């Protein structure tokens, strides 16, 4: 048990203010994730773009009394927080590391430490699947493997646990030795090395050597010796760094002599038989996967089990039952206007908390239901476990809990503060009562341990639709947002463009995420779009770029801020506001500096300034202009011209209006191509959705949208026969043709007919044959091993929307926004 004062000693803090000592059970780094205020210690971490102490007020008001702050926190501020404890340290992140390293030392249990470029999370989860019969295991929730993810993971260790499995990921030198002190692994696994995330490293050798620092104290290191760089680095590490230590190398190899020498890897349709030589005996196991990455991950796990002396028979049985690790949290449309989040990743209290955070980002329905199974292997006593869960559910405003399983059913009592509770002893039991439980206009989170087979419940709840889906990776949106934020000069605000259904990627779902990440402004094209966002619970300020007279009343009703672009519009809105008795209504002034679309001209400025300066009807929030060609070097002179003209307009308005407002002109491309144009705020559009036509910026972005469909039928067509309307596609030889469920009505351009467009099927790009139809398209899949029902990627990671737009002679903006609303959107978090 920790108290504020014991922690002060551990992290060597100065008391800035000492009040009554508290028991500390929870560490908080992100104010949005507060659960148990009275037992929480908040670390006010400072990063490039965040200042943790800004959140202290909010947390204090919610009852948090214990804070770790850095030297930037002024002593004068203390008087505002009577009764709170303030521990001051040089560096709050280092203090967090010290505390969690101390915590780790209190447990003398085996700990597996995993690093490498790929496969860390899978190996960790598979080891959990393979070992949870023998051990009570603590592990990182999802892939919490960073400088803050690892300490939070290690903090969970308690006296019930008999094994820890932690992964560690680094993006720059010097990070691993810190993580090593926190994890202190006794068994090491190096999964592999790839080129990904090389940014912070000089070369591959340095990257490997940095990662190896996780193993400076392990008793064993498990690794594949087939990559020469890895093998050499590890051999050198063993002789130079670990020389003389009790340290074993446990290698596996398909090529050379190794501790586990792989003799053969035989793949059949959906399983792989791996045979190996181990301690002079031939052993084997069957893995229910056939892709190379899974085989590599499974062999790494196999080595651990052998090292732990689990019997061959048992290993073989368990390996056969390895299951896919579903790392995504998906939001789907369900029956009766419900939204469904199905999280089958694992059912433990940490992943439950993560899923509940995701749930609380969803504002579209006010009603929230959680369907939860028994929680297995928590390392806590049952009563405490479910009491904690009940408190969390209450915090997160869950209106209805449906508990499934014998254990949770026994704990009815502790959930008495949840408005509606229902309990069932099994999933089958629930299914039988399904029709008596009404699901209507609410968000439903499904969280079940695998044995409860909650996929049966998600089938009942989900809406059955057209099998073409647009998948939207919400983590990628967040990642892209951060990439652009990193480009911003200090203090620059960010307006996110969510017009046209967030460039086709969804309305409130994206806006919810942006609100969660605290962007400063949203912008939509039309009032209706803004109304939809308000109805879904978006409270951020919203600018409407093309408001018209008929929508003035909804603008005001929903507190939407119009762009004023002409004197005519200005006086119409002024009249409307006057009649309604409204003053100081927030508006945005658009200036045309060369785009020649909407906006006041430079010569209008004097007159405009007088109108605005003398009117108490409007409050000018911002003045802005739009660049016509910020992405193109050949037009940089023109862009500079626009910018100068804009600055002149702003200066004039500033001098006349008498109060300050924001000035902004930069869209996605200008953010990094013209840094000096960031001014007070930038307007981020297409970049958020993963597209930037600057190649170095593009490389830093993650793919957001994947358009997928399926094959409805496969036909054999003889040489000379034709395919589709107008007989445009003629088979030059005997061919196999797949018909897929997407056509121009879905937004697949007809310009991609007759071989112009290609789709990704069964690992290859295949051409469209014949004309694209309204609802279907035919592909030439001759020679490929694919089947009816197989997935087809129209664009995504493997085939970029940019390529598609080039083929169709258009731009990614048009393809993205053209995907019809009948294509179901599926949102997920990894
Ligand atoms: C759409 C739009 C943007 C965003 O442009 P991107 O190129 O997508 O970043 C910015 N400003 C205005 C006025 C827009 O209409």
């Amino acid at each position: 048990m920790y108290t504020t004062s014991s922690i002060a000693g551990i992290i060597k803090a100065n008391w800035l203010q000492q009040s009554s000592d508290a028991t500390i059970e929870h560490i908080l780094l992100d104010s949005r994730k507060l659960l148990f205020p009275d037992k929480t210690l908040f670390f006010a971490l400072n990063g490039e773009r965040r200042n943790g102490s800004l959140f202290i007020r909010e947390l204090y008001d919610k009852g948090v009394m214990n804070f770790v702050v850095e030297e930037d926190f002024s002593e004068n501020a203390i008087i505002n927080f009577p009764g709170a404890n303030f521990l001051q340290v040089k560096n709050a992140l280092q203090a967090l590391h010290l505390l969690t390293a101390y915590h780790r030392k209190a447990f003398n249990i085996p700990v597996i430490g995993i690093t490498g470029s790929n496969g860390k999370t899978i190996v960790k989860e598979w080891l959990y699947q393979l070992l949870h019969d023998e051990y009570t295991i603590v592990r990182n929730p999802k892939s919490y493997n960073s400088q803050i993810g690892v300490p939070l993971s290690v903090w969970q260790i308690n006296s019930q646990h008999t094994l820890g499995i932690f992964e560690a990921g680094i993006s720059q030198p010097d990070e691993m030795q810190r993580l090593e002190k926190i994890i202190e692994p006794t068994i090491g696994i190096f999964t592999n090395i790839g080129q990904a995330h090389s940014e912070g490293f000089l070369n591959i050798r340095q990257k490997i050597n940095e990662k190896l620092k996780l193993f400076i104290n392990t008793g064993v290191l498990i690794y594949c010796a087939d990559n020469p760089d890895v093998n050499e680095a590890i051999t050198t590490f063993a002789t130079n760094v670990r020389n003389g230590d009790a340290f074993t190398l446990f290698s596996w190899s398909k090529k050379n002599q190794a501790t586990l020498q792989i003799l053969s890897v035989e793949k059949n349709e959906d399983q792989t038989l791996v045979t190996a030589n181990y301690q002079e005996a031939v052993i084997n196991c069957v893995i229910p996967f056939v892709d190379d990455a899974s085989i590599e991950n499974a062999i790494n796990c196999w080595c651990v089990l052998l090292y732990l002396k689990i019997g061959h028979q048992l290993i073989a049985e368990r390996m056969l039952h390895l299951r896919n690790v579903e790392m995504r949290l998906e939001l789907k449309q369900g029956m009766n206007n419900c939204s469904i989040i199905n999280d089958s990743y694992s059912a433990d209290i940490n992943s439950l908390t993560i899923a509940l955070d995701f749930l609380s980002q969803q504002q579209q329905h006010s009603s929230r239901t959680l369907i939860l199974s028994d929680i297995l292997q928590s390392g806590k006593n049952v009563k405490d476990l479910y009491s904690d869960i009940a408190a969390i559910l209450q915090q997160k405003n869950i209106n209805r809990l449906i508990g499934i399983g014998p254990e949770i059913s026994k704990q009815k009592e502790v959930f008495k503060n949840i408005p509606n509770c229902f309990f069932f002893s099994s999933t089958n039991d629930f299914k039988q009562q399904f029709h008596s439980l009404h699901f209507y206009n609410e968000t439903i989170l499904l969280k079940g341990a695998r044995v409860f087979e909650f996929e049966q419940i998600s089938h009942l709840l989900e809406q059955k639709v057209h099998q073409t889906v647009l998948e939207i990776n919400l983590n990628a949106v967040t990642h892209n947002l951060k990439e652009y934020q990193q480009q911003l000069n200090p203090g620059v605000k960010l307006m996110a463009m969510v017009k046209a259904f967030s460039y086709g990627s969804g309305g409130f779902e994206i806006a919810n995420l942006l609100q969660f990440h605290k962007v400063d402004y949203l912008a939509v094209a039309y009032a209706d779009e803004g109304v939809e966002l308000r109805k879904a619970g978006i409270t951020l300020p919203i600018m409407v770029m093309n408001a018209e007279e008929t929508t003035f009343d909804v603008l005001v009703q929903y507190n939407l801020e119009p762009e004023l672009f002409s004197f005519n519009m200005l006086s119409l809105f002024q009249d409307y506001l006057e009649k309604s008795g409204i003053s100081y209504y927030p508006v945005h002034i658009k200036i045309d500096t060369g785009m020649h679309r909407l906006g006041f001209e430079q010569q209008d400025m004097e007159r405009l300034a007088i109108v605005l300066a003398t009117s108490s009807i409007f409050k000018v929030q911002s003045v802005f202009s739009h660049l016509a060609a910020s992405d193109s070097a050949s037009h940089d002179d023109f862009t500079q011209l626009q910018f100068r003209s804009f600055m002149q307009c702003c200066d004039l308005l500033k001098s006349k209006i008498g109060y300050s407002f924001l000035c902004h002109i930069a869209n996605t491309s200008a953010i990094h191509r013209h840094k000096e144009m960031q001014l007070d705020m930038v307007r981020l559009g297409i970049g958020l959705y993963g597209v930037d036509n600057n190649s170095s910026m593009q490389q830093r972005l993650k793919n957001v949208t994947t358009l997928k469909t399926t094959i409805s039928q496969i036909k054999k067509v003889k040489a000379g026969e034709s395919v589709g309307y107008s007989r445009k596609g003629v088979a030059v030889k005997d061919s196999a043709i797949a018909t897929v469920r997407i056509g121009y009505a879905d937004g697949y351009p007809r310009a991609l007919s007759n071989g112009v467009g290609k789709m990704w099927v069964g690992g290859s790009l295949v051409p469209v044959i014949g004309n694209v139809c309204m609802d279907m398209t035919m592909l030439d899949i001759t020679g490929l091993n694919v089947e009816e029902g197989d997935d087809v990627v129209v664009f995504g990671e493997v085939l970029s929307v940019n390529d598609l737009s080039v083929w169709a002679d258009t731009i990614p903006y048009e393809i993205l926004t053209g995907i019809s609303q009948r294509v179901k959107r599926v949102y997920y978090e990894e």
Side-chain angles (χ1 to χ4, degrees):
M1 198 184 80
Y2 294 94
T3 61
T4 323
S5 46
S6 70
I7 289 175
I10 296 165
I11 65 175
K12 304 190 180 72
N14 287 328
W15 286 98
L16 217 50
Q17 173 166 290
Q18 183 163 16
S19 306
S20 58
D21 220 11
T23 306
I24 301 299
E25 286 179 13
H26 304 275
I27 288 178
L28 185 70
L29 308 178
D30 178 342
S31 62
R32 295 165 303 196
K33 303 202 165 147
L34 177 66
L35 292 172
F36 301 101
D38 52 332
K39 291 180 180 161
T40 290
L41 176 63
F42 178 68
F43 281 77
L45 300 184
N46 286 331
E48 252 170 58
R49 295 198 55 82
R50 57 170 265 150
N51 183 333
S53 52
L54 293 178
F55 300 95
I56 292 179
R57 180 81 249 167
E58 170 192 339
L59 290 166
Y60 178 85
D61 290 343
K62 290 181 178 160
V64 178
M65 285 291 175
N66 298 284
F67 300 94
V68 175
V69 295
E70 295 185 1
E71 284 159 353
D72 66 319
F73 185 78
S74 105
E75 251 171 273
N76 306 334
I78 290 285
I79 55 161
N80 300 319
F81 305 100
N85 289 310
F86 279 88
L87 306 180
Q88 194 175 44
V89 293
K90 252 219 165 56
N91 182 315
L93 182 63
Q94 274 170 25
L96 172 71
H97 288 183
L98 270 177
L99 176 60
T100 47
Y102 179 93
H103 183 68
R104 163 69 183 93
K105 283 220 181 318
F107 302 93
N108 187 14
I109 55 173
V111 168
I112 302 175
I114 308 169
T115 195
S117 296
N118 298 304
K120 295 186 288 293
T121 306
I122 309 278
V123 169
K124 178 194 72 187
E125 289 304 315
W126 278 358
L127 285 172
Y128 172 79
Q129 291 179 17
L130 294 163
L131 290 168
H132 74 276
D133 281 348
E134 275 85 15
Y135 297 96
T136 304
I137 298 173
V138 52
R139 66 202 202 277
N140 323 59
K142 307 242 165 189
S143 51
Y144 272 38
N145 64 23
S146 66
Q147 296 286 307
I148 60 177
V150 166
L152 290 176
S153 305
V154 167
W155 183 249
Q156 308 169 89
I157 309 178
N158 67 39
S159 59
Q160 303 296 310
H161 292 121
T162 56
L163 176 67
I165 310 179
F166 298 108
E167 56 174 293
I170 55 170
S171 52
Q172 48 192 19
D174 293 334
E175 290 186 337
M176 192 59 95
Q177 57 257 51
R178 298 191 202 142
L179 298 184
E180 192 278 335
K181 289 204 183 76
I182 303 169
I183 299 176
E184 265 195 23
T186 57
I187 298 172
I189 305 174
F190 192 99
T191 57
N192 57 30
I193 200 77
Q195 293 301 332
H197 321 294
S198 291
E199 309 86 47
F201 301 96
L202 295 174
N203 54 43
I204 201 129
R205 253 328 248 279
Q206 187 204 14
K207 191 160 91 169
I208 298 171
N209 286 337
E210 285 298 327
K211 286 179 196 268
L212 288 177
K213 292 182 179 163
L214 181 61
F215 310 118
I216 52 171
N217 289 307
T218 60
V220 60
L221 173 55
I222 291 163
Y223 70 103
C224 172
D226 289 344
N227 175 317
D229 281 318
V230 172
N231 193 37
E232 239 179 81
I234 291 185
T235 322
T236 316
F237 174 78
T239 44
N240 292 357
V241 183
R242 298 298 309 270
N243 182 22
D245 287 7
F247 179 60
T248 314
L249 287 182
F250 192 124
S251 60
W252 65 270
S253 169
K254 291 184 201 165
K255 302 176 188 156
N256 304 309
Q257 193 101 45
T259 319
L260 181 72
Q261 191 178 350
I262 308 297
L263 301 173
S264 67
V265 174
E266 295 162 49
K267 302 181 186 182
N268 69 20
E269 208 145 274
D270 47 14
Q271 294 186 329
T272 304
L273 170 68
V274 187
T275 308
N277 204 328
Y278 180 66
Q279 297 180 337
E280 286 158 34
V282 173
I283 56 174
N284 59 42
C285 70
V286 177
I287 305 158
F289 295 92
V290 291
D291 63 290
D292 292 338
S294 295
I295 294 168
E296 179 183 87
N297 292 333
I299 296 175
N300 277 319
C301 293
W302 193 11
C303 295
V304 176
L305 271 65
L306 290 170
Y307 176 77
L308 292 174
K309 302 205 162 54
I310 311 265
H312 295 313
Q313 189 62 37
L314 216 51
I315 293 179
E317 270 166 34
R318 290 185 190 166
M319 287 293 233
L320 190 58
H321 291 110
L322 282 177
R323 286 151 314 191
N324 235 330
V325 177
E326 184 58 84
M327 282 185 285
R328 302 178 5 167
L329 269 173
E330 285 192 345
L331 178 68
K332 292 189 182 164
Q333 286 149 10
M335 60 193 285
N336 302 334
N337 195 32
C338 291
S339 304
I340 317 284
I341 302 167
N342 184 5
D343 182 16
S344 57
Y345 175 74
S346 68
D348 56 52
I349 195 156
N350 287 294
S351 71
L352 173 64
T353 317
I354 294 169
L356 286 168
D357 282 339
F358 186 61
L359 176 69
S360 42
Q361 284 171 42
Q362 310 303 324
Q363 308 285 334
Q364 61 272 31
H365 311 293
S366 57
S367 192
R368 292 175 184 155
T369 292
L370 167 66
I371 307 184
L372 178 69
S373 77
D374 286 354
I375 301 260
L376 312 170
Q377 286 230 336
S378 70
K380 282 190 171 179
N381 90 39
V382 179
K383 183 95 188 176
D384 289 351
L385 171 69
Y386 289 100
S387 306
D388 280 359
I389 292 176
I392 297 172
L393 301 190
Q394 213 182 336
Q395 273 260 338
K396 299 281 177 188
N397 294 321
I398 298 295
N399 312 83
R400 176 161 64 161
L401 167 69
I402 298 174
I404 298 181
E407 287 296 333
I408 195 168
S409 298
K410 278 186 222 147
Q411 302 296 329
K412 284 184 187 150
E413 259 310 288
V414 305
F415 292 106
K416 57 181 179 291
N417 288 330
I418 309 294
N420 298 291
C421 288
F422 302 87
F423 294 91
F424 302 92
S425 61
S426 68
T427 303
N428 249 333
D429 218 21
F430 166 84
K431 278 167 65 187
Q432 277 165 14
Q433 305 289 321
F434 182 70
H435 292 288
S436 63
L437 293 155
H438 297 280
F439 294 97
Y440 178 75
N441 196 15
E442 61 194 304
T443 311
I444 306 168
L445 169 63
L446 281 156
K447 183 83 192 152
R450 277 174 205 274
V451 288
F452 289 92
E453 298 183 348
F454 272 19
E455 53 281 6
Q456 299 181 36
I457 301 178
S458 70
H459 281 314
L460 288 176
L461 291 169
E462 267 169 39
Q463 215 175 26
K464 307 260 174 305
V465 281
H466 190 63
Q467 285 188 40
T468 298
V469 294
L470 186 68
E471 296 186 341
I472 294 118
N473 181 344
L474 293 175
N475 293 124
V477 176
T478 306
H479 169 93
N480 297 341
L481 174 66
K482 298 209 163 127
E483 286 294 332
Y484 286 98
Q485 282 175 330
Q486 273 175 17
Q487 303 286 324
L488 298 184
N489 302 320
V492 175
K493 293 185 176 347
L494 192 143
M495 175 184 268
M497 309 307 283
V498 293
K499 59 193 180 193
F501 203 54
S502 294
Y503 289 51
S505 304
F508 62 79
E509 297 88 350
I510 301 286
N512 264 333
L513 185 78
L514 296 166
Q515 175 159 298
F516 185 75
H517 290 292
K518 299 198 155 95
V519 306
D520 300 284
Y521 250 100
L522 296 178
V524 296
Y526 294 101
D528 292 352
E529 298 176 320
V531 171
E532 284 308 308
L533 297 182
R534 285 282 182 256
K535 284 186 175 161
I538 302 298
T539 54
L540 284 175
I542 300 177
M543 177 172 92
V544 178
M545 293 192 289
N546 211 336
E548 48 162 345
E549 203 183 342
T550 53
T551 59
F552 286 165
D553 48 350
V554 294
L555 279 181
V556 172
Q557 186 189 343
Y558 287 94
N559 191 18
L560 303 169
E561 306 175 5
E563 157 187 329
L564 303 182
F565 50 78
S566 68
F567 284 112
N568 181 30
M569 183 196 183
L570 184 148
S571 66
L572 286 171
F573 194 47
Q574 189 167 19
D575 288 349
Y576 174 84
L577 292 174
E578 254 159 11
K579 281 200 200 101
S580 320
I582 296 169
S583 46
Y584 299 109
Y585 195 84
V587 294
H588 302 263
I589 304 296
K590 175 71 167 291
I591 299 174
D592 181 1
T593 53
M595 178 86 165
H596 298 320
R597 194 168 65 174
L598 293 179
F600 291 96
E601 311 277 325
Q602 189 160 5
Q603 72 259 21
D604 297 332
M605 282 309 114
E606 292 281 351
R607 187 180 150 205
L608 178 63
I610 293 168
V611 176
L612 295 172
T614 54
S615 158
S616 57
I617 295 290
F618 300 124
K619 161 82 175 36
V620 177
Q621 297 289 78
S622 84
V623 172
F624 74 108
S625 184
H626 196 31
L627 298 168
S630 63
D631 57 344
S632 150
S634 61
H635 294 298
D636 279 351
D637 287 346
F638 182 77
T639 302
Q640 290 296 343
L641 213 64
Q642 281 197 281
F643 182 62
R644 278 198 298 278
S645 150
F646 178 63
M647 291 316 286
Q648 284 163 7
C649 295
C650 289
D651 287 344
L652 191 143
L653 292 176
K654 266 184 200 156
S655 69
K656 298 273 161 80
I657 291 185
Y659 56 86
S660 63
F661 47 79
L662 303 171
C663 297
H664 48 111
I665 192 167
N667 65 338
T668 297
S669 295
I671 290 175
H672 57 96
R673 292 201 67 243
H674 304 286
K675 281 213 152 113
E676 74 284 5
M677 299 186 193
Q678 294 179 357
L679 303 178
D680 299 318
M681 182 156 79
V682 297
R683 299 189 304 273
L684 176 59
I686 193 116
L688 199 52
Y689 311 101
V691 179
D692 190 312
N693 74 359
N694 175 278
S695 64
S696 77
M697 200 61 214
Q698 176 71 63
Q699 274 177 13
R700 306 176 54 166
L701 301 181
K702 286 199 173 149
N703 183 60
V704 170
T705 44
T706 302
L707 181 59
K708 271 188 183 166
T709 185
T710 52
I711 299 178
S712 16
Q713 194 176 21
I714 295 178
K715 286 184 183 298
K716 300 271 176 257
V717 173
K718 292 230 156 55
E721 289 181 346
S722 70
V723 175
Y725 283 121
S726 314
R727 309 196 57 207
K728 286 283 189 207
V730 178
V732 286
K733 54 178 188 206
D734 290 358
S735 303
I737 304 298
T739 301
V740 297
R741 297 177 166 100
I742 187 169
Y744 55 77
D746 298 293
Y748 192 70
R750 193 166 176 278
L752 297 175
S753 299
N754 303 307
V756 178
K758 296 183 180 64
M759 295 189 198
W760 183 266
V761 191
S764 309
L765 269 187
V766 299
V768 171
I769 179 166
N771 283 325
V772 171
C773 311
M774 186 185 293
D775 312 301
M776 288 174 255
T777 299
M778 281 70 84
L779 303 174
D780 184 347
I781 53 156
T782 310
L784 288 185
N785 180 20
V786 295
E787 289 172 23
E788 292 179 358
D790 279 3
D791 275 345
V792 177
V793 175
V794 181
F795 64 75
E797 186 100 54
V798 284
L799 163 59
S800 76
V801 64
N802 205 37
D803 289 347
L804 207 75
S805 69
V806 170
W807 295 334
D809 197 16
T810 177
I811 51 175
Y813 297 74
E814 188 180 357
I815 302 280
L816 287 172
T817 56
I819 299 161
S820 96
Q821 285 303 318
R822 85 171 178 197
V823 174
K824 182 161 110 164
R825 267 70 174 172
V826 172
Y827 302 87
Y828 67 94
E829 277 198 351
E830 280 167 339

